[in-house]
Amino acid sequence: MKSISTIIGVALLFLAGLCYFINWHALVPAFTVLGVAIITRKALEPLIIGCAIGFILLANQGGSEEYFPEGKGMIFPLNMFDGMFTSIARDAHDQGLIWVILVCILYGAFVQLLNVSGGIQAVGRYSEAHVKSKKQSLIMTYFLSFFFFLDDYLSALSVGNTMRPITDKFGVSREKLALVLSFVCVPLTIIFPISTWTIFYGSQLTAIEGGVLNGAGKVITSPIEAFLGTIPYNFSAWISLILGALVVFHLIPDSKGIKAAEAEVKPYEPEVAKVKKNPAKQGKLVYFILPLLVLIWCTIFPYPFDMDYWGSLEPSTEVIFGSIDALRGIVTAVVFTYMYFLLFKVIKFNKISKHFVLGLETITFVLTVLGFTYLLKDVQNALGFNEFVASHLQGISWLNGATLPFVVFALVSWICWATGSNWGIYAILVPTTAIMSHTLGADFWLSQGALASGTVWGAAACFFSDNRVLTAQSCKVDMMKHGISQFPYQLVIFGVSSVLYLVAGFVL
């Protein structure tokens, strides 16, 4: 397996060099990151190397000054140091990177508080009473993920930390636990009409020039309503959920990588606790359920004193769904959990404070990787990555109304896989796809569904995407091992989805 990975990695580095010599500079950082990541099986170092090469190209060849205006004329590595500050400042202004950082660190603190209270262990004890086999532990992991549809970050962190002790007990490799999460976490957020992805993607659809019309011929103003039209055509998400069910119910065999990981699992040896005169109190299930309900409720609905929302006499989908805020939910849940545990003496104050800070610290590496992921995205944008893709998409001679959905899905899938970025793709390709579907006579919703489906596949298949980082962290597994072991399944999802988009393009 390692020799094959090395060959693929070297081939990708060769492609990076080839792209440089034919002046396709926008592709060089992406191929470099992928090549180094596959060879070294590391997450952070390849991103740093890719960013460095991107800034070397910007210093020598130039690029768009829109992304790093202050760095004009700077030599490497000064332009990279300046670019890091510029990228962070821009994303802070756009509520991008800072939003992700706040959500991530607070989720880390939230999970840590639930863990130290014994709430997660209580879920484990409850599950153990009903889970009697290895197969059942995987099935529970799969279906438990459905309760965390609001956000893929929430799903990856919560389900992984909750189910890891149980799957460990029944001899499930952590690579397989992470595999099951990869089947569900991201796809659910693009299928359920209430999620952070829904709001962002739907808002891009409603922002299309000229508007998007519903079945009655009226312009759609609600992001949720606009998003609903894409759900039936998110083929890769549906196939991912189906394939995940087939895996957990053992209806298809494990891949070679998963089999190897399963064979390396050591026999479970529970620790023998010493009998104490005053044994510590066991956590209760309510310590997990109540904070989680607060998290979900406050993510979906505003606070009770928000009369602009609750005072509305004519509720609409825009009013109901337009208020979803993952940051508001996790901030409220953390404050509630902290005060609840403190006032009801679930945990002593010093212990709460200690583990709250510990929860923030555990997410530091994740945030570092995410930061360089955003920087890589900006470097590639400065090199003209999105314009390069859009121009070559329009230059395909055999592109027509029937083939457009497949081309959009395939292209977007590999862009997201190569860059680890998905949300940024929407801003560029949602309006481009809308124009091309109208010009070529393709089905609008099928084409937009293909775009959404491609970003889902890319985020799930990418070795260093934010969801891969969080899934690996919660499952306590090496990120590159997880990425490589689940990739064969992602190729199956890609292949089946591609065929469906080709068929649907000719039928619809």
Side-chain angles (χ1 to χ4, degrees):
M1 187 70 181
K2 288 184 178 180
S3 59
I4 296 176
S5 299
T6 302
I7 293 173
I8 295 174
V10 171
L12 288 169
L13 291 178
F14 175 79
L15 281 176
L18 180 63
C19 289
Y20 174 78
F21 285 110
I22 62 177
N23 292 324
W24 287 6
H25 297 155
L27 303 182
V28 174
F31 283 129
T32 301
V33 170
L34 289 171
V36 177
I38 292 176
I39 293 173
T40 63
R41 302 197 175 195
K42 301 292 183 180
L44 180 59
E45 292 83 350
L47 287 172
I48 296 175
I49 293 172
C51 290
I53 289 178
F55 278 105
I56 290 173
L57 291 173
L58 289 175
N60 295 336
Q61 310 294 334
S64 172
E65 296 178 9
E66 176 185 354
Y67 294 92
F68 305 107
E70 294 84 359
K72 180 181 179 181
M74 285 188 178
I75 63 172
F76 179 83
L78 295 180
N79 65 341
M80 182 171 177
F81 297 144
D82 179 82
M84 293 172 67
F85 290 106
T86 302
S87 181
I88 292 173
R90 177 171 49 251
D91 286 309
H93 177 73
D94 294 337
Q95 300 181 353
L97 179 59
I98 300 302
W99 184 90
V100 173
I101 289 175
L102 290 174
V103 171
C104 281
I105 62 175
L106 289 174
Y107 272 137
F110 181 71
V111 171
Q112 187 67 26
L113 289 176
L114 295 185
N115 185 50
V116 73
S117 72
I120 292 180
Q121 290 82 352
V123 174
R125 292 195 303 272
Y126 177 82
S127 302
E128 287 177 337
H130 299 83
V131 175
K132 303 297 183 182
S133 66
K134 179 178 181 178
K135 180 179 179 180
Q136 290 179 3
S137 69
L138 289 172
I139 293 173
M140 183 171 183
T141 300
Y142 178 82
F143 285 107
L144 184 62
S145 301
F146 280 72
F147 290 95
F148 299 90
F149 60 86
L150 287 173
D151 189 80
D152 56 323
Y153 293 171
L154 172 63
S155 181
L157 288 170
S158 300
V159 180
N161 282 290
T162 300
M163 294 303 301
R164 189 180 66 250
I166 300 172
T167 53
D168 281 352
K169 175 181 178 180
F170 290 102
V172 177
S173 67
R174 292 182 176 177
E175 285 84 353
K176 190 162 189 178
L177 172 63
L179 170 69
V180 174
L181 289 183
S182 70
F183 283 133
V184 186
C185 292
V186 178
L188 274 180
T189 58
I190 207 72
I191 287 178
F192 275 75
I194 306 176
S195 71
T196 51
W197 280 49
T198 297
I199 299 301
F200 186 84
Y201 181 46
S203 65
Q204 300 299 313
L205 289 172
T206 56
I208 291 175
E209 186 176 355
V212 178
L213 304 180
N214 59 19
K218 295 182 179 180
V219 176
I220 298 174
T221 58
S222 167
I224 298 296
E225 185 181 355
F227 174 80
L228 289 173
T230 69
I231 292 178
Y233 306 113
N234 290 327
F235 294 154
S236 71
W238 290 110
I239 294 169
S240 180
L241 293 177
I242 294 171
L243 186 60
L246 295 176
V247 168
V248 300
F249 282 100
H250 295 173
L251 297 178
I252 59 174
D254 291 335
S255 67
K256 184 177 179 180
I258 295 297
K259 283 182 179 179
E262 292 283 281
E264 294 176 0
V265 176
K266 297 179 180 179
Y268 178 75
E269 297 180 0
E271 296 181 1
V272 179
K274 296 181 180 180
V275 179
K276 299 180 180 180
K277 294 182 179 179
N278 297 311
K281 294 188 298 182
Q282 289 187 326
K284 299 178 181 179
L285 200 58
V286 68
Y287 299 161
F288 175 84
I289 294 177
L290 192 55
L292 186 61
L293 289 177
V294 171
L295 172 63
I296 294 175
W297 178 269
C298 291
T299 298
I300 299 176
F301 301 109
Y303 298 126
F305 50 80
D306 186 351
M307 297 310 298
D308 289 338
Y309 178 87
W310 295 107
S312 175
L313 299 177
E314 297 180 359
S316 63
T317 54
E318 186 173 359
V319 173
I320 294 173
F321 298 124
S323 64
I324 294 177
D325 188 343
L327 182 57
R328 179 188 62 218
I330 189 60
V331 168
T332 308
V334 168
V335 173
F336 169 82
T337 305
Y338 197 107
M339 299 305 298
Y340 171 53
F341 289 171
L342 181 63
L343 294 176
F344 288 88
K345 299 181 179 180
V346 176
I347 316 172
K348 293 182 179 180
F349 173 74
N350 289 337
K351 195 173 183 181
I352 295 178
S353 299
K354 174 185 175 182
H355 285 272
F356 177 81
V357 174
L358 181 61
L360 302 180
E361 292 174 351
T362 57
I363 213 77
T364 301
F365 176 76
V366 175
L367 295 178
T368 304
V369 172
L370 288 178
F372 276 98
T373 298
Y374 274 79
L375 183 60
L376 177 66
K377 176 193 68 176
D378 287 342
V379 169
Q380 292 185 135
N381 287 338
L383 289 170
F385 185 89
N386 291 324
E387 291 77 8
F388 177 89
V389 171
S391 63
H392 283 70
L393 180 65
Q394 294 173 343
I396 299 176
S397 59
W398 46 266
L399 187 61
N400 54 51
T403 59
L404 178 64
F406 162 72
V407 173
V408 169
F409 169 72
L411 192 61
V412 171
S413 293
W414 290 108
I415 291 172
C416 294
W417 179 78
T419 62
S421 172
N422 36 55
W423 285 18
I425 298 299
Y426 292 142
I428 299 296
L429 292 185
V430 165
T432 302
T433 302
I435 293 172
M436 296 190 70
S437 61
H438 175 72
T439 303
L440 299 174
D443 185 277
F444 174 83
W445 294 113
L446 177 62
S447 300
Q448 292 294 338
L451 172 57
S453 187
T455 59
V456 170
W457 186 86
C462 180
F463 295 164
F464 52 85
S465 68
D466 48 5
N467 192 269
R468 291 285 65 69
V469 175
L470 295 174
T471 299
Q473 191 266 344
S474 67
C475 295
K476 305 300 180 187
V477 64
D478 180 81
M479 189 179 75
M480 287 307 299
K481 286 184 177 180
H482 163 48
I484 292 172
S485 64
Q486 61 108 32
F487 193 62
Y489 296 95
Q490 296 297 338
L491 290 178
V492 172
I493 295 171
F494 176 82
V496 176
S497 299
S498 298
V499 172
L500 289 177
Y501 282 115
L502 274 175
V503 173
F506 284 94
V507 172
L508 297 179

